[in-house]
Coordinates of all heavy atoms in Angstrom, one line a residue:
M1 N 0.9 -1.2 0.0 CA 0.0 0.0 0.0 C 0.9 1.3 -0.1 O 1.8 1.4 0.8 CB -0.9 0.0 1.2 CG -2.0 1.0 1.2 SD -3.2 0.9 2.5 CE -4.4 -0.1 1.8
L2 N 0.6 2.2 -0.9 CA 1.4 3.3 -1.0 C 1.2 4.4 0.1 O 0.1 4.3 0.7 CB 1.1 4.1 -2.4 CG 1.5 3.2 -3.6 CD1 0.8 3.8 -4.8 CD2 3.0 3.2 -3.8
E3 N 2.1 5.1 0.5 CA 2.0 6.0 1.6 C 1.9 7.4 1.2 O 2.6 7.9 0.3 CB 3.1 5.7 2.6 CG 3.1 4.5 3.3 CD 4.0 4.3 4.5 OE1 4.4 5.4 5.0 OE2 4.2 3.2 4.9
C4 N 1.1 8.2 2.0 CA 0.9 9.7 1.9 C 2.3 10.3 2.1 O 3.1 10.1 3.1 CB -0.1 10.1 2.9 SG -0.3 11.8 3.0
I5 N 2.6 11.3 1.3 CA 3.8 12.2 1.4 C 3.5 13.6 2.0 O 4.3 14.5 2.0 CB 4.6 12.2 0.1 CG1 3.8 12.9 -0.9 CG2 5.2 10.9 -0.3 CD1 4.5 13.3 -2.3
N6 N 2.2 13.7 2.4 CA 1.8 15.0 3.1 C 1.9 16.2 2.2 O 2.4 17.3 2.7 CB 2.5 15.2 4.5 CG 2.4 13.9 5.3 OD1 1.3 13.4 5.5 ND2 3.5 13.4 5.8
C7 N 1.6 16.1 1.0 CA 1.7 17.2 0.0 C 0.5 18.2 0.1 O 0.6 19.3 -0.4 CB 2.0 16.8 -1.4 SG 0.5 16.0 -2.1
D8 N -0.5 17.7 0.7 CA -1.8 18.6 0.8 C -2.5 18.9 -0.4 O -3.4 19.7 -0.5 CB -1.5 19.8 1.6 CG -1.3 19.7 3.1 OD1 -1.4 18.5 3.5 OD2 -1.0 20.7 3.7
A9 N -2.1 18.2 -1.5 CA -2.8 18.4 -2.8 C -4.3 18.0 -2.7 O -5.1 18.7 -3.2 CB -2.1 17.7 -4.0
C10 N -4.5 16.9 -2.0 CA -5.9 16.5 -1.9 C -6.7 17.5 -1.1 O -7.9 17.8 -1.5 CB -6.0 15.0 -1.2 SG -5.1 15.0 0.4
L11 N -6.1 17.9 -0.1 CA -6.8 18.9 0.8 C -7.2 20.2 -0.1 O -8.4 20.7 0.1 CB -5.9 19.3 1.9 CG -6.4 20.1 3.1 CD1 -5.7 19.8 4.4 CD2 -6.4 21.6 2.9
R12 N -6.3 20.7 -0.8 CA -6.6 21.9 -1.6 C -7.5 21.7 -2.8 O -8.2 22.6 -3.2 CB -5.2 22.4 -2.2 CG -4.4 23.1 -1.1 CD -3.1 23.7 -1.8 NE -2.0 22.7 -1.7 CZ -1.5 22.2 -2.7 NH1 -1.9 22.5 -4.0 NH2 -0.5 21.3 -2.7
H13 N -7.8 20.4 -3.2 CA -8.7 20.2 -4.3 C -10.1 19.6 -3.8 O -10.9 19.5 -4.6 CB -8.1 19.1 -5.2 CG -7.1 19.8 -6.2 ND1 -5.7 20.0 -5.7 CD2 -7.2 20.1 -7.4 CE1 -5.0 20.5 -6.7 NE2 -5.9 20.7 -7.8
C14 N -10.2 19.3 -2.5 CA -11.5 19.0 -2.0 C -12.4 20.3 -1.9 O -12.0 21.3 -1.3 CB -11.4 18.4 -0.7 SG -12.9 17.9 0.1
P15 N -13.5 20.2 -2.7 CA -14.3 21.5 -2.9 C -14.6 22.0 -1.5 O -14.9 21.3 -0.6 CB -15.6 21.0 -3.6 CG -15.1 19.8 -4.4 CD -14.1 19.1 -3.5
P16 N -14.5 23.3 -1.3 CA -14.7 24.0 0.0 C -16.1 23.8 0.6 O -16.2 23.7 1.8 CB -14.4 25.5 -0.2 CG -14.4 25.6 -1.7 CD -14.1 24.3 -2.4
H17 N -17.1 23.6 -0.2 CA -18.4 23.3 0.4 C -18.5 21.9 0.9 O -19.5 21.6 1.7 CB -19.5 23.6 -0.6 CG -19.3 23.1 -2.1 ND1 -18.6 23.9 -2.9 CD2 -19.6 22.0 -2.7 CE1 -18.5 23.3 -4.1 NE2 -19.1 22.1 -3.9
F18 N -17.6 21.0 0.6 CA -17.5 19.7 1.3 C -16.4 19.7 2.4 O -16.8 19.3 3.5 CB -17.2 18.6 0.3 CG -18.3 18.5 -0.7 CD1 -17.9 18.5 -2.1 CD2 -19.6 18.3 -0.4 CE1 -18.8 18.4 -3.1 CE2 -20.6 18.2 -1.4 CZ -20.2 18.3 -2.8
G19 N -15.3 20.2 2.1 CA -14.2 20.4 3.2 C -14.0 19.1 4.0 O -14.0 19.1 5.2
A20 N -13.9 18.0 3.3 CA -13.8 16.7 3.9 C -12.4 16.3 4.3 O -12.2 15.3 4.9 CB -14.5 15.6 3.1
I21 N -11.4 17.1 3.9 CA -10.1 16.6 4.2 C -9.4 17.6 5.1 O -9.5 18.9 4.8 CB -9.2 16.6 2.9 CG1 -9.9 15.5 1.9 CG2 -7.8 16.0 3.2 CD1 -9.2 15.4 0.6
F22 N -8.8 17.2 6.1 CA -8.1 18.0 7.1 C -6.7 17.6 7.4 O -6.4 16.5 7.3 CB -8.9 18.0 8.5 CG -10.3 18.4 8.3 CD1 -11.3 17.5 8.0 CD2 -10.6 19.7 8.8 CE1 -12.6 18.0 7.9 CE2 -12.0 20.2 8.7 CZ -13.0 19.3 8.3
N23 N -5.9 18.6 7.8 CA -4.5 18.3 8.4 C -4.8 17.8 9.8 O -5.5 18.4 10.6 CB -3.7 19.5 8.4 CG -3.0 19.7 7.1 OD1 -2.3 18.8 6.5 ND2 -3.0 20.9 6.5
H24 N -4.0 16.8 10.1 CA -4.1 16.2 11.5 C -2.7 15.9 11.8 O -2.2 14.8 11.5 CB -5.0 14.9 11.4 CG -5.2 14.3 12.8 ND1 -5.8 15.0 13.8 CD2 -4.7 13.1 13.3 CE1 -5.8 14.2 14.9 NE2 -5.2 13.1 14.7
G25 N -2.0 16.8 12.5 CA -0.6 16.6 12.7 C 0.1 16.5 11.5 O -0.2 17.2 10.5
P26 N 1.0 15.5 11.2 CA 1.7 15.4 9.9 C 0.9 14.7 8.9 O 1.3 14.6 7.7 CB 2.9 14.5 10.3 CG 2.5 13.8 11.5 CD 1.5 14.6 12.3
D27 N -0.3 14.2 9.2 CA -1.1 13.4 8.3 C -2.3 14.3 7.8 O -2.5 15.3 8.3 CB -1.7 12.2 9.0 CG -0.7 11.4 9.6 OD1 0.4 11.1 8.9 OD2 -0.9 10.8 10.7
V28 N -2.9 13.7 6.8 CA -4.2 14.3 6.3 C -5.3 13.2 6.7 O -5.0 11.9 6.6 CB -4.3 14.7 4.8 CG1 -3.5 15.9 4.6 CG2 -4.0 13.5 4.0
I29 N -6.4 13.6 7.0 CA -7.5 12.7 7.2 C -8.7 13.1 6.4 O -8.9 14.3 6.1 CB -8.0 12.5 8.7 CG1 -8.4 14.0 9.3 CG2 -6.9 12.0 9.5 CD1 -9.1 13.9 10.6
I30 N -9.5 12.1 5.9 CA -10.7 12.3 5.1 C -11.9 12.0 6.1 O -11.9 10.8 6.5 CB -10.8 11.6 3.9 CG1 -9.6 12.0 3.0 CG2 -12.1 11.7 3.1 CD1 -9.4 11.3 1.7
V31 N -12.7 12.9 6.3 CA -13.9 12.5 7.2 C -15.1 12.0 6.3 O -15.6 12.8 5.4 CB -14.4 13.8 7.9 CG1 -15.6 13.5 8.7 CG2 -13.3 14.4 8.8
P32 N -15.3 10.7 6.5 CA -16.3 10.1 5.5 C -17.7 10.8 5.5 O -18.3 10.9 4.4 CB -16.4 8.6 5.9 CG -15.4 8.5 7.1 CD -14.8 9.8 7.3
E33 N -18.1 11.3 6.7 CA -19.4 11.8 6.7 C -19.5 13.2 5.9 O -20.6 13.6 5.6 CB -19.8 12.2 8.2 CG -20.1 11.0 9.0 CD -18.8 10.2 9.6 OE1 -17.7 10.7 9.3 OE2 -19.0 9.2 10.1
L34 N -18.4 13.8 5.6 CA -18.4 15.0 4.9 C -18.1 14.8 3.4 O -18.4 15.7 2.6 CB -17.3 16.0 5.5 CG -17.6 16.6 6.9 CD1 -16.4 17.3 7.3 CD2 -18.9 17.3 7.0
C35 N -17.6 13.6 3.1 CA -17.1 13.3 1.7 C -18.3 13.2 0.8 O -19.3 12.4 1.1 CB -16.3 12.1 1.7 SG -15.9 11.6 0.0
S36 N -18.3 13.8 -0.4 CA -19.4 13.7 -1.3 C -19.2 12.6 -2.3 O -20.2 12.3 -3.0 CB -19.6 15.1 -2.1 OG -18.4 15.3 -2.9
G37 N -18.0 12.1 -2.4 CA -17.7 11.1 -3.4 C -17.5 11.7 -4.8 O -17.6 11.0 -5.8
C38 N -17.1 13.1 -4.8 CA -16.9 13.7 -6.1 C -15.6 13.3 -6.7 O -15.4 13.4 -7.9 CB -16.8 15.2 -5.9 SG -15.4 15.8 -5.0
D39 N -14.7 12.6 -6.0 CA -13.4 12.1 -6.5 C -12.5 13.0 -7.0 O -11.5 12.7 -7.7 CB -13.7 11.0 -7.7 CG -14.3 9.7 -7.0 OD1 -14.4 9.6 -5.8 OD2 -14.7 8.9 -7.8
K40 N -12.6 14.4 -6.7 CA -11.7 15.4 -7.1 C -10.3 15.2 -6.5 O -9.3 15.6 -7.0 CB -12.2 16.8 -6.9 CG -13.4 17.2 -7.8 CD -13.6 18.6 -7.8 CE -14.9 19.1 -8.5 NZ -15.0 18.4 -9.8
C41 N -10.3 14.5 -5.3 CA -8.9 14.3 -4.6 C -8.2 13.3 -5.3 O -6.9 13.3 -5.2 CB -9.2 14.0 -3.2 SG -10.3 12.6 -2.9
L42 N -8.8 12.3 -5.9 CA -8.1 11.1 -6.4 C -7.0 11.4 -7.5 O -5.8 11.0 -7.3 CB -9.1 10.0 -6.9 CG -10.1 9.5 -5.9 CD1 -11.0 8.5 -6.6 CD2 -9.3 8.9 -4.7
P43 N -7.3 12.1 -8.6 CA -6.3 12.3 -9.6 C -5.2 13.2 -9.2 O -4.2 13.2 -9.9 CB -7.1 12.8 -10.7 CG -8.3 13.5 -10.2 CD -8.6 12.7 -8.9
V44 N -5.4 14.0 -8.1 CA -4.3 15.0 -7.8 C -3.3 14.4 -6.9 O -2.2 15.0 -6.7 CB -4.8 16.3 -7.2 CG1 -5.8 17.0 -8.3 CG2 -5.6 16.1 -5.8
C45 N -3.5 13.3 -6.3 CA -2.6 12.7 -5.4 C -1.4 12.1 -6.2 O -1.5 11.2 -7.0 CB -3.2 11.5 -4.6 SG -2.1 10.7 -3.4
P46 N -0.1 12.7 -5.9 CA 0.9 12.3 -6.7 C 1.5 10.8 -6.5 O 2.2 10.3 -7.3 CB 2.0 13.3 -6.3 CG 1.7 13.7 -5.0 CD 0.2 13.6 -4.9
V47 N 1.1 10.2 -5.3 CA 1.6 8.9 -5.1 C 0.4 7.9 -5.1 O 0.6 6.7 -4.7 CB 2.3 8.8 -3.7 CG1 3.7 9.6 -3.8 CG2 1.5 9.4 -2.6
D48 N -0.8 8.4 -5.5 CA -1.9 7.6 -5.7 C -2.3 6.7 -4.4 O -2.4 5.5 -4.5 CB -1.7 6.6 -6.8 CG -2.9 6.1 -7.6 OD1 -4.0 6.7 -7.4 OD2 -2.9 5.1 -8.4
C49 N -2.3 7.4 -3.3 CA -2.5 6.7 -2.0 C -3.9 6.9 -1.4 O -4.0 6.6 -0.2 CB -1.4 7.0 -1.0 SG -1.5 8.7 -0.3
I50 N -4.8 7.4 -2.1 CA -6.2 7.6 -1.7 C -7.0 6.4 -2.2 O -7.1 6.2 -3.4 CB -6.8 8.9 -2.0 CG1 -5.9 10.1 -1.6 CG2 -8.3 9.1 -1.4 CD1 -6.4 11.4 -2.0
Y51 N -7.5 5.7 -1.3 CA -8.3 4.4 -1.6 C -9.7 4.6 -1.4 O -10.2 4.7 -0.3 CB -7.7 3.2 -0.9 CG -6.3 3.0 -1.1 CD1 -5.3 3.6 -0.2 CD2 -5.8 2.3 -2.2 CE1 -3.9 3.3 -0.4 CE2 -4.4 2.1 -2.4 CZ -3.5 2.7 -1.6 OH -2.1 2.5 -1.7
P52 N -10.6 4.7 -2.5 CA -12.0 4.8 -2.3 C -12.6 3.7 -1.5 O -12.1 2.5 -1.7 CB -12.5 5.0 -3.7 CG -11.4 5.2 -4.5 CD -10.2 4.7 -3.9
D53 N -13.5 4.0 -0.7 CA -14.2 2.9 0.0 C -15.2 2.2 -0.9 O -16.1 2.9 -1.4 CB -15.0 3.6 1.2 CG -15.7 2.6 2.1 OD1 -15.9 1.4 1.7 OD2 -16.3 3.0 3.1
P54 N -15.0 1.0 -1.1 CA -15.9 0.2 -2.0 C -17.4 0.2 -1.6 O -18.3 0.0 -2.4 CB -15.3 -1.2 -2.1 CG -14.5 -1.3 -0.9 CD -14.0 0.1 -0.5
D55 N -17.6 0.4 -0.3 CA -19.0 0.4 0.2 C -19.6 1.8 0.2 O -20.8 1.8 0.5 CB -19.0 -0.1 1.6 CG -18.5 -1.6 1.7 OD1 -18.7 -2.4 0.7 OD2 -17.9 -2.0 2.7
W56 N -18.9 2.8 -0.2 CA -19.4 4.1 -0.3 C -20.6 4.1 -1.4 O -20.3 3.7 -2.4 CB -18.4 5.2 -0.5 CG -18.9 6.5 -0.3 CD1 -18.8 7.3 0.9 CD2 -19.6 7.4 -1.2 NE1 -19.4 8.6 0.7 CE2 -19.8 8.6 -0.6 CE3 -19.9 7.3 -2.6 CZ2 -20.4 9.6 -1.2 CZ3 -20.5 8.3 -3.2 CH2 -20.8 9.5 -2.5
A57 N -21.7 4.7 -1.0 CA -22.8 4.7 -2.0 C -23.2 6.2 -2.3 O -23.5 6.9 -1.3 CB -24.0 3.8 -1.5
S58 N -23.1 6.5 -3.5 CA -23.5 7.9 -3.8 C -25.0 8.2 -3.5 O -25.4 9.3 -3.3 CB -23.3 8.3 -5.2 OG -24.0 7.5 -6.2
N59 N -25.8 7.2 -3.4 CA -27.2 7.4 -3.2 C -27.5 7.6 -1.7 O -28.5 7.9 -1.2 CB -28.1 6.2 -3.6 CG -27.7 4.9 -3.0 OD1 -27.0 4.9 -2.1 ND2 -28.4 3.8 -3.5
A60 N -26.3 7.7 -0.9 CA -26.4 8.1 0.5 C -26.7 9.6 0.6 O -27.2 10.1 1.6 CB -25.2 7.7 1.3
V61 N -26.4 10.3 -0.5 CA -26.6 11.7 -0.5 C -27.8 12.0 -1.4 O -28.0 11.6 -2.5 CB -25.4 12.4 -1.2 CG1 -25.6 14.0 -1.3 CG2 -24.1 12.1 -0.4
P62 N -28.8 12.8 -0.8 CA -30.0 13.1 -1.5 C -29.7 13.8 -2.8 O -28.8 14.7 -2.9 CB -30.8 14.0 -0.6 CG -30.3 13.7 0.8 CD -28.9 13.3 0.6
E63 N -30.3 13.4 -3.9 CA -29.9 13.9 -5.2 C -30.0 15.4 -5.3 O -29.2 16.1 -5.9 CB -30.9 13.3 -6.2 CG -30.5 13.4 -7.7 CD -29.2 12.7 -8.0 OE1 -28.9 11.7 -7.4 OE2 -28.5 13.3 -8.8
D64 N -31.0 16.1 -4.6 CA -31.1 17.5 -4.7 C -30.0 18.3 -4.0 O -29.9 19.5 -4.2 CB -32.5 18.0 -4.4 CG -32.8 17.6 -2.9 OD1 -32.0 17.0 -2.3 OD2 -33.9 18.1 -2.4
W65 N -29.2 17.6 -3.2 CA -28.0 18.2 -2.5 C -27.1 18.7 -3.5 O -26.4 19.7 -3.3 CB -27.3 17.3 -1.5 CG -28.1 17.1 -0.3 CD1 -29.3 17.3 0.0 CD2 -27.4 16.7 1.0 NE1 -29.6 17.1 1.4 CE2 -28.5 16.6 1.9 CE3 -26.2 16.3 1.3 CZ2 -28.2 16.2 3.3 CZ3 -25.9 15.9 2.6 CH2 -26.9 15.8 3.6
W66 N -27.0 18.1 -4.7 CA -26.0 18.4 -5.6 C -26.4 19.8 -6.4 O -25.5 20.5 -7.0 CB -25.9 17.4 -6.8 CG -25.4 16.1 -6.3 CD1 -26.1 15.0 -6.0 CD2 -24.1 15.8 -5.9 NE1 -25.3 14.0 -5.5 CE2 -24.0 14.5 -5.4 CE3 -22.8 16.6 -5.9 CZ2 -22.8 13.9 -5.0 CZ3 -21.7 15.9 -5.5 CH2 -21.8 14.6 -5.0
D67 N -27.6 20.2 -6.1 CA -28.0 21.6 -6.7 C -27.6 22.7 -5.7 O -27.6 23.8 -6.1 CB -29.5 21.6 -6.9 CG -29.9 20.6 -7.9 OD1 -29.1 20.2 -8.8 OD2 -31.0 20.2 -7.9
E68 N -27.3 22.4 -4.5 CA -27.1 23.4 -3.5 C -25.7 24.1 -3.6 O -25.7 25.4 -3.5 CB -27.2 22.8 -2.1 CG -28.5 22.2 -1.7 CD -29.5 23.1 -1.4 OE1 -29.2 24.3 -1.0 OE2 -30.8 22.9 -1.6
P69 N -24.6 23.4 -3.8 CA -23.3 24.2 -3.8 C -23.3 25.2 -4.9 O -23.6 24.9 -6.0 CB -22.2 23.1 -4.0 CG -22.9 21.8 -3.5 CD -24.4 22.0 -3.8
L70 N -22.9 26.5 -4.5 CA -22.7 27.5 -5.4 C -24.1 28.0 -5.9 O -24.2 28.9 -6.8 CB -21.8 27.3 -6.5 CG -20.4 26.8 -6.0 CD1 -19.5 26.6 -7.2 CD2 -19.7 27.9 -5.1
G71 N -25.1 27.5 -5.5 CA -26.5 27.9 -6.0 C -27.1 29.0 -5.1 O -26.4 29.5 -4.2
P72 N -28.3 29.4 -5.4 CA -28.9 30.6 -4.7 C -29.0 30.4 -3.3 O -29.0 31.4 -2.4 CB -30.2 30.8 -5.4 CG -30.5 29.6 -6.1 CD -29.2 28.9 -6.3
D73 N -29.1 29.2 -2.7 CA -29.3 28.9 -1.3 C -28.1 28.6 -0.6 O -28.1 28.1 0.6 CB -30.4 27.8 -1.1 CG -31.8 28.2 -1.7 OD1 -32.1 29.4 -1.7 OD2 -32.4 27.4 -2.2
D74 N -27.0 28.6 -1.3 CA -25.6 28.2 -0.7 C -25.2 29.3 0.3 O -25.0 30.4 -0.1 CB -24.6 28.0 -1.8 CG -23.3 27.5 -1.2 OD1 -23.1 27.6 0.1 OD2 -22.4 27.0 -2.0
P75 N -25.2 29.0 1.6 CA -24.9 30.0 2.6 C -23.5 30.5 2.6 O -23.1 31.5 3.2 CB -25.3 29.4 4.0 CG -25.2 27.9 3.7 CD -25.5 27.7 2.2
Y76 N -22.7 29.8 1.9 CA -21.1 30.0 1.9 C -20.8 30.8 0.6 O -19.6 31.1 0.5 CB -20.4 28.8 1.9 CG -20.7 28.0 3.1 CD1 -21.5 26.8 3.1 CD2 -20.2 28.4 4.4 CE1 -21.8 26.2 4.2 CE2 -20.5 27.7 5.6 CZ -21.3 26.6 5.5 OH -21.6 25.9 6.6
V77 N -21.8 31.2 -0.2 CA -21.4 32.0 -1.4 C -21.4 33.4 -1.1 O -22.3 34.0 -0.5 CB -22.4 31.7 -2.6 CG1 -22.2 32.7 -3.8 CG2 -22.3 30.3 -3.1
Ligands
SF4_1 S1 -14.1 12.6 -2.9 FE1 -14.6 13.5 -0.9 S2 -12.6 13.8 0.0 FE2 -12.2 13.6 -2.2 S3 -12.5 15.7 -3.0 FE3 -14.4 14.8 -3.1 S4 -15.5 15.4 -1.2 FE4 -13.3 15.8 -0.9
SF4_2 S1 -2.6 14.2 -2.2 FE1 -1.9 12.1 -1.5 S2 0.2 12.4 -0.8 FE2 -0.7 14.4 -0.9 S3 -1.5 14.8 1.1 FE3 -3.2 13.9 -0.1 S4 -3.2 11.7 0.3 FE4 -1.2 12.5 0.9

């Protein structure tokens, strides 16, 4: 299994309205409850060490949530 080199690329590419990746000491952690499954973190990892959870189901997120980020009701815009 490949190991994280702590470059923070994944953290910087996780969309801010999800903000699922955090620095934790020298490591990064992904909080599954915040992760949308958008997969934007995967291609930017230079050592390919992010392993998607095979049990993660996109239908865990209500479909209309995808309309919220950057939309008129997004409180963070
Ligand atoms: S898949 Fe999850 S952790 Fe990765 S960028 Fe998307 S929301 Fe962030
Ligand atoms: S992009 Fe990959 S190597 Fe860089 S901090 Fe994230 S998991 Fe670690």
Side-chain angles (χ1 to χ4, degrees):
M1 188 172 274
L2 298 165
E3 289 195 16
C4 174
I5 58 170
N6 306 313
C7 69
D8 286 356
C10 56
L11 192 154
R12 285 183 270 110
H13 283 79
C14 184
H17 40 273
F18 300 123
I21 307 180
F22 295 85
N23 272 312
H24 181 69
D27 303 319
V28 292
I29 56 169
I30 298 177
V31 178
E33 289 82 0
L34 297 177
C35 174
S36 68
C38 70
D39 288 352
K40 291 196 185 318
C41 55
L42 298 179
V44 300
C45 180
V47 293
D48 207 16
C49 74
I50 304 174
Y51 301 94
D53 180 351
D55 295 329
W56 191 92
S58 62
N59 60 10
V61 180
E63 197 59 36
D64 59 352
W65 282 21
W66 295 105
D67 298 331
E68 297 285 336
L70 305 180
D73 297 326
D74 185 342
Y76 301 104
V77 171

